[in-house]
């Protein structure tokens, strides 16, 4: 594994005006108890996807409050990511027979990476890619080990879960986004913590609407015409083809509507290019459908701008761990129409802060409602932003992390 350089600096004091004095003071008290502790986060990629997004912001913030926080990503051959993507798909419900050779490679990578572990009081291993590290750690009892699962395991393919479960259970505790995601056969201390977004990251920080429209115009999208937007890896579970179907239904009624789909090609997602090609094909050369990736220069600032310049954010997932993009849209005051799955349901109260949908037809109908009614858009936007402020800002994650790393709290889950 190798360390991810932490270049950003964050100051907790800046967040006081967003979260209020009481929560700010609570964090300062917790930080005192956690000061000087070391924490190591490990995941599969430094770029692309929700986990990297969280760690980019959380690790600098932990450092600001006195925790000696580090972030490392696994070193692995491409074949490992093919396997872990299959495991990811199986945990979301796809049938999969892992061969002995695949299991062996999965564990070999864990063994090799575990040999490079650095000392820490708490190690947080994220997702299946990092689940077996503790098993191969030289001195696993030196640290408290916590596994954080960002995936919805409700419909997990049991044989694959059986393969992973012993490794999960070796940890002192595991963290899940929602109680429903926890497998009933898991014997372990369980913590429930939903992911969060950083209101001051380049992706989420305030941006004047004129600046956002200027960015959008540079990509030849017309900010004067309505925009539907989905920001997601190109992946079957994010249903990019279904998004295009929904857009087509909207287009029948609102001729000037445009669809923008932004999807980074994450390092650990081998399916990305193939699914981008399929999506392009499905769009069939429609000049009002725009597909962008990080390779087109659409990065955090551009995602921020597109989200702000859109009338409706769509997240038509068929399965979802949490769906950070939903919180990102809501925080920016854009109503979100999203699949009624996974962690999306704790972010959107249907009909209040957005709409939950189960088909392209429904997605189109609710998007039309919003396009036709600016007052409805405004009402939902306000409710959505407040819900994110209360529950899904990074300061909430910081609180949970400080509670994990503070020695007194550790005793309660690590049994020492
Ligand atoms: N993202 C991005 N560019 C893209 C696609 C995604 O910056 O082209 C970001 C997105 O804004 C969000 C994260 O990647 O912060 C995706 O997290 P989410 O939880 O929605 O989905 P995941 O990819 O983890 O399944």
């Amino acid at each position: 594994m190798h360390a991810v350089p932490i270049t950003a600096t964050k100051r907790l004091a800046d967040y006081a005006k967003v979260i209020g004095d009481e929560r700010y003071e609570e964090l300062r008290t917790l930080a005192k108890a956690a000061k000087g502790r070391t924490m190591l986060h490990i995941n599969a990629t430094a770029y692309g996807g929700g986990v990297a997004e969280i760690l980019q912001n959380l690790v600098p913030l932990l450092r600001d409050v006195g925790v000696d926080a580090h972030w490392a990503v696994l070193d692995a051959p491409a074949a490992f990511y093919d396997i872990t993507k299959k495991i990811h798909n199986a945990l979301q419900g796809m049938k999969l027979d892992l061969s002995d050779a695949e299991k062996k490679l999965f564990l070999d990578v864990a063994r090799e990476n575990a040999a490079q572990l650095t000392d820490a009081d708490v190690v947080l291993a994220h997702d299946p890619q990092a689940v077996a590290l503790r098993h191969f750690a030289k001195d696993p009892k030196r640290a408290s080990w916590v596994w954080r699962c960002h995936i919805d395991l409700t419909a997990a393919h049991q044989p694959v879960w059986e393969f992973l479960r012993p490794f999960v259970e070796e940890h002192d505790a595991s963290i899940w986004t929602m109680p429903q995601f926890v497998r009933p056969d898991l014997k372990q201390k369980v913590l429930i913590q939903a992911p969060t977004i950083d209101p001051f990251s380049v992706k989420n920080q305030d941006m004047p609407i004129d600046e956002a429209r200027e960015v959008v115009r540079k990509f030849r999208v017309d900010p004067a015409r309505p925009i539907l937007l989905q920001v997601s890896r190109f992946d079957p579970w994010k249903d990019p083809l279904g998004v295009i179907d929904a857009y087509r239904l909207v287009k029948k009624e609102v001729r000037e509507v445009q669809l923008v789909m932004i999807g980074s090609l994450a390092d650990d997602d081998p399916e990305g290019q193939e699914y981008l090609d399929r999506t392009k094909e499905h769009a069939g050369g429609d000049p009002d459908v725009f597909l962008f990736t990080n390779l087109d220069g659409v990065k955090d600032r551009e995602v921020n701008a597109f989200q702000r310049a859109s009338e409706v954010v769509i997240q038509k997932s068929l399965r979802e761990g949490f769906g950070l993009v939903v919180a990102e849209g809501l925080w920016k005051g854009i109503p979100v129409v999203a699949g009624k799955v996974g962690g999306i349901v704790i972010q959107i109260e249907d009909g209040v802060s957005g709409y939950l949908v189960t088909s392209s037809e429904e997605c189109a109908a609710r998007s039309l409602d919003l396009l036709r009614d600016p007052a409805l858009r405004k009402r939902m936007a306000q409710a959505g932003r407040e819900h994110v402020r209360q529950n899904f800002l990074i300061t909430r994650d910081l609180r949970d992390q400080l509670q994990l790393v503070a020695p007194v709290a550790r005793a309660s889950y690590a049994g020492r």
Side-chain angles (χ1 to χ4, degrees):
M1 68 179 74
H2 60 275
V4 179
I6 306 297
T7 47
T9 47
K10 305 253 171 203
R11 284 178 356 122
L12 179 61
D14 293 338
Y15 294 75
K17 60 178 182 290
V18 181
I19 58 172
D21 288 344
E22 200 178 315
R23 286 195 182 172
Y24 174 64
E25 288 306 330
E26 182 199 356
L27 284 171
R28 287 186 19 118
T29 308
L30 279 169
K32 271 189 204 137
K35 203 174 168 65
R37 292 266 153 194
T38 47
M39 184 170 213
L40 173 64
H41 286 267
I42 305 168
N43 80 320
T45 173
Y47 180 76
V51 181
E53 180 74 22
I54 295 167
L55 294 180
Q56 259 160 38
N57 297 306
L58 190 57
V59 173
L61 203 47
L62 281 162
R63 285 188 176 185
D64 178 63
V65 302
V67 176
D68 184 16
H70 298 266
W71 175 13
V73 297
L74 301 176
D75 290 321
F80 174 78
Y81 298 109
D82 291 335
I83 296 166
T84 56
K85 187 70 206 278
K86 281 195 206 169
I87 291 178
H88 182 106
N89 287 341
L91 292 177
Q92 298 202 119
M94 256 185 207
K95 269 206 169 136
L96 166 71
D97 282 325
L98 271 182
S99 69
D100 287 344
E102 286 172 325
K103 288 181 188 169
K104 180 175 180 307
L105 177 59
F106 179 80
L107 296 177
D108 284 348
V109 167
R111 186 184 296 107
E112 285 157 20
N113 280 276
Q116 291 147 23
L117 276 165
T118 49
D119 262 355
D121 294 311
V122 175
V123 181
L124 233 148
H126 293 262
D127 278 340
Q129 295 95 327
V131 74
L133 287 172
R134 187 190 184 280
H135 184 77
F136 295 108
K138 236 181 282 137
D139 191 0
K141 293 228 163 82
R142 257 183 101 117
S144 295
W145 279 78
V146 181
W147 185 62
R148 186 164 181 175
C149 180
H150 297 266
I151 307 169
D152 175 357
L153 264 60
T154 321
H157 182 56
Q158 191 63 16
V160 171
W161 167 243
E162 299 280 346
F163 168 61
L164 297 178
R165 185 162 67 101
F167 300 110
V168 175
E169 288 180 343
E170 286 178 1
H171 291 74
D172 297 297
S174 57
I175 300 176
W176 303 74
T177 300
M178 293 167 68
Q180 294 88 321
F181 290 4
V182 184
R183 299 298 295 169
D185 52 2
L186 180 69
K187 291 180 203 67
Q188 187 177 47
K189 168 92 182 166
V190 160
L191 306 163
I192 304 298
Q193 296 172 10
T196 57
I197 61 164
D198 185 343
F200 295 130
S201 66
V202 174
K203 171 146 324 144
N204 296 316
Q205 71 196 5
D206 283 347
M207 179 188 285
I209 187 67
D210 287 346
E211 186 182 331
R213 291 189 177 132
E214 198 46 50
V215 171
V216 163
R217 206 172 285 124
K218 281 207 181 108
F219 287 89
R220 298 182 317 282
V221 178
D222 183 354
R225 290 163 53 199
I227 299 171
L228 306 178
L229 171 73
Q230 175 156 301
V231 179
S232 265
R233 288 178 295 107
F234 288 102
D235 170 302
W237 306 103
K238 309 285 187 183
D239 199 18
L241 310 188
V243 175
I244 293 177
D245 295 341
Y247 150 82
R248 289 210 171 107
L249 293 171
V250 173
K251 185 95 174 158
K252 282 190 186 157
E253 310 282 328
V254 181
R255 298 302 305 167
E256 67 273 28
V257 74
Q258 305 163 93
L259 172 65
V260 177
M261 300 179 81
I262 297 174
S264 60
L265 300 169
D267 294 347
D268 65 340
D269 185 355
E271 285 181 326
Q273 187 61 49
E274 182 197 329
Y275 235 73
L276 171 60
D277 294 343
R278 278 224 228 168
T279 309
K280 219 178 263 175
E281 200 182 312
H282 200 65
D286 183 332
D288 286 336
V289 176
F290 298 84
L291 304 182
F292 300 122
T293 73
N294 46 322
L295 305 180
D296 301 304
V298 178
K299 302 199 175 141
D300 288 355
R301 176 167 175 267
E302 291 75 20
V303 169
N304 190 344
F306 271 104
Q307 286 170 331
R308 288 177 193 280
S310 297
E311 268 63 32
V312 178
V313 162
I314 293 178
Q315 187 54 45
K316 221 200 114 353
S317 306
L318 303 171
R319 287 263 197 284
E320 190 60 78
F322 180 67
L324 279 178
V325 280
V326 172
E328 289 165 7
L330 295 175
W331 178 247
K332 295 178 181 95
I334 309 299
V336 182
V337 176
K340 191 178 178 178
V341 291
I344 291 175
V345 306
I346 53 174
Q347 300 186 66
I348 293 181
E349 193 185 338
D350 194 21
V352 176
S353 50
Y355 287 116
L356 297 172
V357 297
T358 52
S359 66
S360 293
E361 290 73 22
E362 225 185 321
C363 180
R366 297 289 83 80
S367 301
L368 269 172
D369 290 346
L370 285 162
L371 285 178
R372 287 174 168 153
D373 189 346
L376 175 67
R377 290 211 297 274
K378 198 163 173 204
R379 232 178 17 252
M380 288 200 155
Q382 277 167 355
R385 182 171 165 100
E386 199 43 39
H387 187 57
V388 172
R389 188 199 309 279
Q390 294 303 332
N391 300 288
F392 305 121
L393 291 186
I394 195 159
T395 36
R396 210 247 39 244
D397 222 333
L398 178 69
R399 184 199 66 197
D400 296 343
Q401 299 279 311
L402 290 174
Q403 284 173 340
L404 271 185
V405 81
V408 179
R410 278 177 56 212
S412 72
Y413 67 89
R416 48 179 101 186

